[in-house]
Amino acid sequence: MKIKLDKKYKELVSRVKCKAEHELLSGVVGNNALLSEVMSCTNSVKETEKLISDIYFADEIEWIEPRYKWRLKSEKFKERYVRKLIITGSIAFYTIVANATAMTESELKKLLEGTGLPFEAFEKVSVDED
């Protein structure tokens, strides 16, 4: 079985993979930080159990990087959302978040190369659900 997971779950996967099957749920429940991490991506205990089970029984995990919409951190330019112009491959700023381009951190860093704008000047606004 192959599953796709966000890179932020690498530590969770390593913890789950090193536990015996009968220890999984009790090990997660006993670890409040780990439980809150798992519960933050599920809606119920049943979904949490399924995620843990899927991780445990996965033969292969494909790591994906989440896409976010980004904006400048500056108070003066707070409503400046990043958009990648497809034709030119350059960067543009829009005042409406719906016009922003969802990108991974690495895609934004690549887009910023040569612009003089540091990656640290930007913040994540929302996760792209697509």
Side-chain angles (χ1 to χ4, degrees), residues 64-123:
I64 56 172
E65 205 176 339
R67 296 180 181 274
Y68 299 96
K69 294 191 175 182
W70 300 83
R71 73 171 169 217
L72 286 167
K73 286 182 185 176
S74 167
E75 285 299 319
K76 186 175 182 179
F77 300 109
K78 192 161 188 158
E79 299 303 315
R80 297 288 188 242
Y81 300 96
V82 176
R83 180 164 183 91
K84 180 180 180 182
L85 301 176
I86 303 298
I87 295 172
T88 62
S90 59
I91 191 170
F93 295 96
Y94 286 81
T95 58
I96 301 170
V97 71
N99 291 336
T101 303
M103 294 179 274
T104 64
E105 285 186 19
S106 55
E107 288 172 328
L108 178 61
K109 286 176 182 177
K110 185 173 182 175
L111 183 62
L112 293 173
E113 286 177 5
T115 66
L117 296 168
F119 173 74
E120 295 75 25
F122 296 86
E123 64 185 346

Side-chain angles (χ1 to χ4, degrees), residues 33-92:
L34 183 56
L35 180 61
S36 64
E37 180 182 336
V38 175
M39 292 297 283
S40 71
C41 65
T42 63
N43 296 320
S44 67
V45 171
K46 192 170 200 140
E47 285 183 32
T48 300
E49 290 173 350
K50 182 177 178 348
L51 175 62
I52 292 168
S53 175
D54 287 350
I55 290 170
Y56 186 79
F57 291 109
D59 298 318
E60 183 181 347
I61 297 174
E62 181 181 335
W63 298 106
I64 56 172
E65 205 176 339
R67 296 180 181 274
Y68 299 96
K69 294 191 175 182
W70 300 83
R71 73 171 169 217
L72 286 167
K73 286 182 185 176
S74 167
E75 285 299 319
K76 186 175 182 179
F77 300 109
K78 192 161 188 158
E79 299 303 315
R80 297 288 188 242
Y81 300 96
V82 176
R83 180 164 183 91
K84 180 180 180 182
L85 301 176
I86 303 298
I87 295 172
T88 62
S90 59
I91 191 170

